[in-house]
Amino acid sequence: MKAIRGVLLTCDSAVKQILLTLNERENFIIEDLDDFHVVIKADEEYRVRRELEAELEKNTYSLE
């Protein structure tokens, strides 16, 4: 049996909701600890951070 390594992510509740939505497409969350912490698969960390950045950029707006 292969052990899965995890990485603890700390985030606010808005980012966590995005992570939960992304997780529905491709499971990477090992454990949902509380409102501000999740453990994700270590080998998925880079991809998840990239996808999260892309989602956050979509939600960024400017009043210019």
Side-chain angles (χ1 to χ4, degrees):
M1 184 170 156
K2 184 180 174 186
I4 298 175
R5 288 188 26 214
V7 174
L8 177 67
L9 292 184
T10 303
C11 55
D12 64 23
S13 57
V15 170
K16 184 169 178 196
Q17 286 306 310
I18 295 171
L19 287 171
L20 293 173
T21 300
L22 292 173
N23 188 61
E24 290 174 8
R25 282 186 282 176
E26 200 167 332
N27 291 341
F28 56 84
I29 294 178
I30 297 171
E31 193 166 351
D32 184 350
L33 299 174
D34 58 31
D35 289 343
F36 305 103
H37 301 92
V38 292
V39 178
I40 65 168
K41 295 176 184 174
D43 58 349
E44 297 281 338
E45 181 182 9
Y46 180 74
R47 181 187 64 79
V48 169
R49 287 184 184 272
R50 247 187 14 247
E51 285 187 34
L52 181 58
E53 285 228 1
E55 286 297 317
L56 289 172
E57 286 207 8
K58 287 182 198 175
N59 294 317
T60 303
Y61 65 91
S62 172
L63 296 176
E64 296 176 32

